[in-house]
Amino acid sequence: MTPTTLELLLPQWQGGNNPDYQIGNEILATIVPTNQHIERVEVPIATDSLPTQTTGIDGETTLLQQFQSTADILAVKHPQRIITLGGDCSVSETPFDYLNGQYDRFGVIWLDVHPDVSNATNSHHIHEMVLANLLDVGAPQFNQQVTNHLKSSHVMLAGLDYQALRPMDQAVNQLPLTYTTPEDLLDHPEMVTTWLKTNQIQHVAVHWDLDVLSPNDFRSIYPAEPHTNVADFPAAVGRMTLKQVFSLLAAIGQTSDLVGLSIAEHMPWDAINLRKGLATLPIFQ
């Protein structure tokens, strides 16, 4: 019998122009639980350096090709549920597009300290506009590639640092999108499940950017780079704990049918630095 859950290994790094996300994917693939009823498929990803930017979006041609490769795999496998292991945040685009086409009353929880709703006029990184593409307000070529656009009323941002929104993030207010802050979720974690019930979301996908977590609680994220000061990080820094997130994910799964889960932006600094150091030794060359 064909497995109904597909696990996509998607070490896509071009969306954030950071090859280290490939190592994050390798480590993540060894951490997640295994199950004989879950089929694992690796999406082929280009590993060479990005060409000089000419379109306004870093790696646009490569990313469009990789999104299409992902869509082709989903069209053949036709899963009921998708677990996506990133890679940068852009890995959710094609799986969520597919799932939105499979289910009525489908919604998305974007568990991220950042909203990822920029566009080609204010960013050149697709991982900063992946949700905008899904909402048809992102980069033109990527908007067009999405077949099943999300409704803003079927998206909730969870763990968002609203006070740290930048000009490039203002689609949060313009659309507008429902959001909860880390403090909201600490005091009233039921806000997410209440939103699911109120909007009659029967099937849900969760995008989990690991940097929604506090660097004090989880070290394998970008802001936790060794020998740097978190206060100097140039973007919002997460404030949630692993315990909070797993409690929230469990509650989501008890309220709606969890059909999609993406885990993105895993940055295991110790493994990254160890591999880079070992690669300089003659014995490995």
Side-chain angles (χ1 to χ4, degrees):
M1 184 176 74
T2 302
T4 59
T5 300
L6 185 68
E7 185 175 272
L8 289 175
L9 296 187
L10 189 46
Q12 186 161 275
W13 58 273
Q14 293 88 354
N17 196 9
N18 191 330
D20 287 340
Y21 286 129
Q22 296 173 95
I23 302 178
N25 176 269
E26 290 180 47
I27 304 298
L28 194 57
T30 67
I31 293 173
V32 296
T34 58
N35 187 312
Q36 63 178 338
H37 301 297
I38 298 176
E39 181 180 5
R40 173 176 282 188
V41 176
E42 183 167 2
V43 181
I45 298 298
T47 58
D48 52 333
S49 300
L50 290 179
T52 302
Q53 179 179 323
T54 58
T55 62
I57 302 294
D58 287 350
E60 178 176 85
T61 299
T62 299
L63 284 162
L64 289 169
Q65 291 172 345
Q66 290 172 179
F67 286 149
Q68 187 58 55
S69 296
T70 307
D72 292 343
I73 290 170
L74 295 176
V76 171
K77 298 294 184 179
H78 200 64
Q80 293 177 330
R81 293 175 175 79
I82 305 172
I83 299 165
T84 307
L85 306 181
D88 64 63
C89 273
S90 66
V91 299
S92 286
E93 184 162 318
T94 306
F96 286 13
D97 177 13
Y98 167 87
L99 289 168
N100 194 25
Q102 298 301 305
Y103 295 103
D104 295 327
R105 308 308 308 174
F106 174 77
V108 166
I109 304 295
W110 205 261
L111 185 56
D112 196 335
V113 72
H114 313 110
D116 299 339
V117 290
S118 64
N119 58 56
T121 69
N122 51 37
S123 175
H124 53 94
H125 290 153
I126 280 295
H127 78 149
E128 293 177 330
M129 60 187 81
V130 54
L131 181 55
N133 298 337
L134 286 164
L135 289 162
D136 201 20
V137 295
Q141 294 283 8
F142 294 86
N143 291 341
Q144 294 170 18
Q145 193 177 48
V146 174
T147 303
N148 307 284
H149 289 103
L150 293 168
K151 298 177 182 178
S152 58
S153 60
H154 285 192
V155 175
M156 183 183 209
L157 305 172
L160 176 72
D161 188 343
Y162 183 79
Q163 297 302 319
L165 290 184
R166 303 155 292 183
M168 64 191 290
D169 302 323
Q170 289 308 309
V172 171
N173 297 313
Q174 294 161 358
L175 286 168
L177 293 171
T178 301
Y179 68 89
T180 60
T181 67
E183 289 71 30
D184 291 334
L185 293 175
L186 183 62
D187 296 333
H188 300 285
E190 75 282 357
M191 290 178 70
V192 174
T193 53
T194 297
W195 179 83
L196 290 169
K197 294 172 185 176
T198 300
N199 290 277
Q200 299 180 329
I201 303 298
Q202 297 175 2
H203 309 281
V204 65
V206 176
H207 169 92
W208 181 12
D209 183 339
L210 291 171
D211 68 15
V212 77
L213 297 165
S214 165
N216 294 324
D217 188 74
F218 188 78
R219 305 298 300 169
S220 296
I221 51 176
Y222 211 131
E225 183 176 4
H227 310 296
T228 64
N229 189 337
V230 172
D232 296 330
F233 192 71
V237 176
R239 299 193 291 277
M240 297 186 69
T241 67
L242 267 177
K243 183 177 179 180
Q244 279 181 283
V245 168
F246 284 127
S247 178
L248 179 61
L249 290 173
I252 290 170
Q254 291 167 2
T255 304
S256 299
D257 180 20
L258 184 61
V259 296
L261 175 64
S262 297
I263 307 175
E265 311 222 341
H266 185 224
M267 192 66 74
W269 288 110
D270 289 345
I272 291 167
N273 292 330
L274 183 61
R275 176 176 289 182
K276 288 180 177 180
L278 290 171
T280 66
L281 301 181
I283 197 170
F284 285 102
Q285 297 173 4

